[in-house]
């Protein structure tokens, strides 16, 4: 297949910048005429790229050895086998190839790629085929060890793009500068492209980073109130629990990170629009130690064998107390206790039994608690004061049990002498709620018990991000809202102790900074890098080498987005901030160590 008769423009190639982005040596655009031939030769071996000296002369004039078109006088000869080509050498023998000069000049960014085209330092045509081409004195090409070429990765021109660290989307449009077309590179702002999207609006609404000095805590409280209003569905239990967490953050922010149990109890009861009515019941006869017929009230008009009188049908409170007194006249203490318990005179019964033996007192006390509903918060308090883990801590979260918040409120407001028992009761309640899927409610309990935060990979830890379960997929776990809520909690702790910070949370702040950069907010992302670096430098960054290296990598890409550079003289803009230099020094010291 003779290639004579084609014009030079069909043999031009795109800019070297496009070629360097491909990992294969034959990823060059085909000439237009050859594409037509390839369509006619379906099933034949194709995909050969033609290169000659024009490619390097067109883009690197310092490597040209003659006027353009000089080597075009040597016609391109094709071997008899279809799909294979041979290019004659336009250079005299003994001189180094132009490709070798190009490789040694350092103009290429991919030495490995160029080395695939250099054959024994004597080839001058940068062949696509892995075989060797030798040209004799007669100018006839000889072919040895021919193998099929790699097909093109992209059969047609396309737009190359990348994301810049400055919050830009960079597009390199498919043009041919060698054919007289002007190369065009477009810069688009990601913030403008993503304007109006939910993700960008969520990032822009947050007043972070919260550790900066010009932030007032009123701004943080306003953000939390907005999340309660717009982000919590109060018609669902999950929405009410999420609202409770945000209200807790508002309370901590208002009180500079400190609170007592009664503050949390008041907050818990605010969301209870109506107090559940816990139905009281008669004490069980078995608890009183009497038979059912003995416990049941006597028929109206029946004679009382003790007093010898007929009791009235409807007894008033005074008459009930009077009969209790008469029973004691005759020394019938047990009957008096039964009468008082049956008529709800629990004060009389408990006082009398307390002056008797311990077994009797326990009997009356058990009878009193049996009259309370199972899910009554009084049951929780009495069980806790009796030295037991309340039943509510093991059963809360069920729809039949009722709301969990009054039970936690009564535990927080009434500390017993055994602080370990209080702690275990609250943690048990949180574990029960977590097992039922109420993550926000469980985390509220864990905060009341001062449970520390852990890591995503440590599934045994109870918390990693406030209000988000680390037992789900990472994409669902590390949501933007969860990271923002966690940062507000860290800010509240810093109001109480300025030097405190949550070390496990710095990983998620770095992730949040990368999201800001991805959405076209590089200046805000750089501020996050600075605050993370400040927290790491308070401790040994070498203790967390992976976090320090990733932080350094992101900060070096974003360092030119600092607004302070606009106010600096041009000669001082290359000076890096102190925190970045310290971080780099720590990383180098760790690598040396």
């Amino acid at each position: 297949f003779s290639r004579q008769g084609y014009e030079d423009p069909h043999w031009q190639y795109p800019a070297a910048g496009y070629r360097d982005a491909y990992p294969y040596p034959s990823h060059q655009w085909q000439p237009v005429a050859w594409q037509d031939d390839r369509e006619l030769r379906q099933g034949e071996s194709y995909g050969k790229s033609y290169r000659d000296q024009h490619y390097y002369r067109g883009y690197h004039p310092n490597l040209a050895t003659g006027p353009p078109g000089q080597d075009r006088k040597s016609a391109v000869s094709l071997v008899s086998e279809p799909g294979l080509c041979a290019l004659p050498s336009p250079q005299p023998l003994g001189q180094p190839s132009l490709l070798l000069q190009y490789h040694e000049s350092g103009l290429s960014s991919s030495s490995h790629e160029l080395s695939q085209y250099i054959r024994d330092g004597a080839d001058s045509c940068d062949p696509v085929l892995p075989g060797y081409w030798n040209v004799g004195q007669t100018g006839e090409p000889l072919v040895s060890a021919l193998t099929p070429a790699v097909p093109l990765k992209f059969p047609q021109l396309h737009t190359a793009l990348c994301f810049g660290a400055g919050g830009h989307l960079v597009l390199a449009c498919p043009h041919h500068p060698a054919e007289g077309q002007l190369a065009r590179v477009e810069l688009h702002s990601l913030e403008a492209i993503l304007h109006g999207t939910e993700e960008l609006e969520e990032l822009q609404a947050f007043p972070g980073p919260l550790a900066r000095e010009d932030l007032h805590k009123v701004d943080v409280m306003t953000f939390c109130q907005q999340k309660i209003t717009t982000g919590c569905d109060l018609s669902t239990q999950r929405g009410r629990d999420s609202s409770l967490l945000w209200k807790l953050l508002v309370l901590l922010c208002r009180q500079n990170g400190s609170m007592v149990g009664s503050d949390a109890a008041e907050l818990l009861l605010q969301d209870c629009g109506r107090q559940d009515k816990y139905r009281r019941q008669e004490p069980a006869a078995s608890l009183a130690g009497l038979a059912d017929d003995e416990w049941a009230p006597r028929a109206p008009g029946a004679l009382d064998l003790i007093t010898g009188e007929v009791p009235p049908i409807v007894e008033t409170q005074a008459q009930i107390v009077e009969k209790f007194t008469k029973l004691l006249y005759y020394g019938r203490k047990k009957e008096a206790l039964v009468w008082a318990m049956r008529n709800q005179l629990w004060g009389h019964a408990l006082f009398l039994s307390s002056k008797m033996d311990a077994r009797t007192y326990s009997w009356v006390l058990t009878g009193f608690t049996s009259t309370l509903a199972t899910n009554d918060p009084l049951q929780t308090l009495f069980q806790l004061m009796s030295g037991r883990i309340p039943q509510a801590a093991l059963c809360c979260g069920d729809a039949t049990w009722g709301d969990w918040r009054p039970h936690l409120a009564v535990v927080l407001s009434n500390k017993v002498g055994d602080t370990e028992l209080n702690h275990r009761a609250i943690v048990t309640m949180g574990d029960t709620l977590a097992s039922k899927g109420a993550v926000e409610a469980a985390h509220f309990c864990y905060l009341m018990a001062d449970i520390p935060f852990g890591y995503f990979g440590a599934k045994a830890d109870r918390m990693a991000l406030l209000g988000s379960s680390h037992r789900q997929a990472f994409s669902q776990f590390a949501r933007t809202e969860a990271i923002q809520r966690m940062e507000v909690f860290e800010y509240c702790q810093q109001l109480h102790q300025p030097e405190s910070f949550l070390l496990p949370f710095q990983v998620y702040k770095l992730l949040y900074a990368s999201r800001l950069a991805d959405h076209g907010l590089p200046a805000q992302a750089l501020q996050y890098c600075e605050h993370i670096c400040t927290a790491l430098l308070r401790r040994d960054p070498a203790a967390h080498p992976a976090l320090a290296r990733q932080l350094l990598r992101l900060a070096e890409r974003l360092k030119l987005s600092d607004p302070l550079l606009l106010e600096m003289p041009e000669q001082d803009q290359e000076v890096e901030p102190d925190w970045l230099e310290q971080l780099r020094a720590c990383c180098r010291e760790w690598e040396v160590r």
Side-chain angles (χ1 to χ4, degrees):
F1 302 98
S2 175
R3 311 302 299 174
Q4 298 180 6
Y6 289 99
E7 298 294 333
D8 280 351
H10 294 295
W11 296 92
Q12 301 299 329
Y13 295 89
Y18 286 94
R19 182 181 66 85
D20 291 341
Y22 300 128
Y24 303 106
S26 62
H27 290 164
Q28 302 297 329
W29 280 278
Q30 294 175 329
V32 178
W34 192 25
Q35 292 180 2
D36 297 337
D37 276 352
R38 190 188 64 182
E39 295 174 358
L40 297 176
R41 293 185 284 114
Q42 298 289 339
E44 293 183 359
S45 174
Y46 62 92
K48 307 299 173 287
S49 299
Y50 296 91
R51 281 194 199 88
D52 57 13
Q53 191 175 347
H54 283 267
Y55 176 81
Y56 298 103
R57 286 187 188 142
Y59 302 107
H60 301 288
N62 58 321
L63 297 179
T65 59
Q70 176 180 350
D71 58 330
R72 189 57 62 195
K73 297 178 182 179
S74 301
V76 178
S77 300
L78 297 177
V79 296
S80 58
E81 297 185 26
L84 301 178
C85 67
L87 299 180
S89 174
Q91 284 184 299
L93 295 178
Q95 294 185 3
S97 66
L98 291 175
L99 184 59
L100 183 59
Q101 299 177 32
Y102 180 73
H103 174 56
E104 295 175 349
S105 66
L107 296 176
S108 172
S109 61
S110 179
S111 300
H112 171 71
E113 183 184 15
L114 286 174
S115 65
Q116 301 181 50
Y117 301 113
I118 302 177
R119 302 298 182 184
D120 296 334
D123 300 326
S124 60
C125 59
D126 186 19
V128 181
L129 301 178
Y132 296 93
W133 295 82
N134 297 322
V135 182
Q137 298 293 333
T138 59
E140 296 295 332
L142 300 177
V143 181
S144 63
L146 295 175
T147 56
V150 182
L152 292 177
K153 184 175 182 180
F154 300 104
Q156 58 186 356
L157 302 181
H158 67 284
T159 300
L161 62 89
C162 68
F163 294 93
H168 293 92
L169 179 66
V170 184
L171 303 179
C173 300
H175 281 219
H176 292 277
E179 297 181 359
Q181 299 180 4
L182 296 178
R184 187 172 81 248
V185 176
E186 299 179 357
L187 300 179
H188 299 272
S189 172
L190 285 174
E191 185 178 4
I193 294 176
L194 300 175
H195 178 71
T197 60
E198 182 180 354
E199 294 82 2
L200 182 60
E201 290 180 352
E202 186 177 18
L203 293 172
Q204 291 177 334
F206 187 65
L210 302 183
R212 66 179 195 268
E213 297 179 356
D214 61 337
L215 178 70
H216 197 279
K217 67 178 185 180
V218 175
D219 300 332
V220 181
M221 295 169 60
T222 302
F223 171 78
C224 295
Q225 293 289 355
Q226 291 176 352
K227 296 297 292 185
I228 295 173
T229 305
T230 61
C232 300
D233 185 8
L234 300 181
S235 62
T236 63
Q237 184 63 41
R238 184 76 178 267
R240 290 192 294 270
D241 293 342
S242 180
S243 171
L244 181 63
L245 276 182
W246 286 113
K247 289 182 178 180
L248 175 64
L249 296 177
V250 173
L251 176 64
L252 288 173
C253 191
R254 182 185 296 113
Q255 300 184 178
N256 293 330
S258 62
M259 69 174 185
V260 294
S262 58
D263 295 332
E266 182 181 358
L267 183 65
L268 287 166
L269 296 178
Q270 282 180 0
D271 288 338
C272 299
R274 59 176 182 83
Q275 296 292 332
D276 293 335
K277 302 301 181 181
Y278 303 101
R279 181 178 56 86
R280 294 184 179 272
Q281 53 193 4
E282 293 293 333
S286 59
L287 293 176
L290 302 175
D292 292 340
D293 55 350
E294 188 177 2
W295 178 257
R298 293 180 174 83
L303 182 66
D304 192 325
L305 298 178
I306 298 178
T307 61
E309 299 176 356
V310 178
I313 297 178
V314 179
E315 296 175 325
T316 63
Q317 184 71 16
Q319 293 173 337
I320 294 174
V321 174
E322 181 182 359
K323 182 174 182 179
F324 174 77
T325 306
K326 286 183 178 181
L327 290 172
L328 292 178
Y329 288 163
Y330 295 96
R332 309 295 296 269
K333 294 181 181 179
K334 184 176 180 180
E335 287 80 356
L337 288 176
V338 172
W339 173 260
M341 293 167 64
R342 188 168 58 186
N343 292 277
Q344 306 296 324
L345 293 177
W346 293 108
H348 297 71
L350 288 171
F351 180 81
L352 177 61
S353 62
S354 66
K355 300 305 178 181
M356 299 168 66
D357 57 282
R359 182 173 298 177
T360 303
Y361 176 73
S362 177
W363 168 58
V364 175
L365 185 62
T366 304
F368 168 67
T369 56
S370 67
T371 63
L372 303 176
T374 307
N375 60 342
D376 195 324
L378 286 178
Q379 285 274 23
T380 302
L381 176 61
F382 295 153
Q383 292 170 7
L384 184 67
M385 297 179 70
S386 300
R388 294 179 292 156
I389 297 294
Q391 188 179 2
L394 302 172
C395 301
C396 61
D398 292 335
T400 57
W401 184 264
D403 200 351
W404 59 273
R405 284 171 287 188
H407 298 274
L408 180 60
V410 76
V411 172
L412 292 174
S413 299
N414 301 273
K415 299 287 185 180
V416 296
D418 189 358
T419 58
E420 178 63 23
L421 179 62
N422 271 79
H423 183 269
R424 285 192 293 113
I426 297 174
V427 172
T428 303
M429 183 178 293
D431 293 341
T432 304
L433 291 170
S435 65
K436 305 293 177 59
V439 179
E440 291 87 351
H443 286 193
F444 189 95
C445 296
Y446 294 150
L447 289 180
M448 297 300 103
D450 295 328
I451 298 297
F453 287 90
Y455 296 89
F456 174 77
K459 303 304 180 182
D461 294 339
R462 289 184 167 89
M463 288 190 299
L465 279 181
L466 186 59
S468 182
S469 173
H470 60 295
R471 293 177 176 85
Q472 56 185 343
F474 187 82
S475 58
Q476 296 295 325
F477 159 73
R479 294 176 289 108
T480 299
E481 180 183 359
I483 298 177
Q484 292 174 347
R485 180 163 44 201
M486 188 71 178
E487 187 175 356
V488 174
F489 179 74
E490 183 186 48
Y491 171 74
C492 294
Q493 284 193 329
Q494 291 175 350
L495 290 177
H496 184 61
Q497 297 177 352
E499 298 299 325
S500 66
F501 67 95
L502 301 173
L503 185 59
F505 179 56
Q506 306 309 309
V507 178
Y508 307 105
K509 290 176 72 174
L510 178 61
L511 175 62
Y512 188 80
S514 66
R515 290 180 182 176
L516 290 172
D518 290 341
H519 287 78
L521 303 172
Q524 192 174 353
L526 183 61
Q527 291 182 351
Y528 269 94
C529 293
E530 180 179 358
H531 291 298
I532 298 171
C533 179
T534 303
L536 287 179
L537 291 176
R538 291 175 185 171
R539 302 193 181 182
D540 186 9
H544 305 276
L547 175 60
R549 285 198 303 266
Q550 293 296 330
L551 176 61
L552 178 62
R553 182 179 179 183
L554 179 62
E556 286 181 339
R557 297 188 63 196
L558 298 174
K559 62 183 180 181
L560 297 181
S561 302
D562 194 345
L564 294 177
L565 292 179
L566 300 178
E567 303 176 2
M568 293 183 179
E570 186 175 355
Q571 62 272 13
D572 295 339
Q573 292 185 1
E574 297 298 328
V575 179
E576 294 184 344
D578 295 338
W579 61 268
L580 184 56
E581 294 180 352
Q582 296 178 17
L583 179 62
R584 183 182 292 108
C586 291
C587 291
R588 289 176 180 173
E589 180 183 354
W590 176 83
E591 292 175 357
V592 170
R593 228 172 6 178

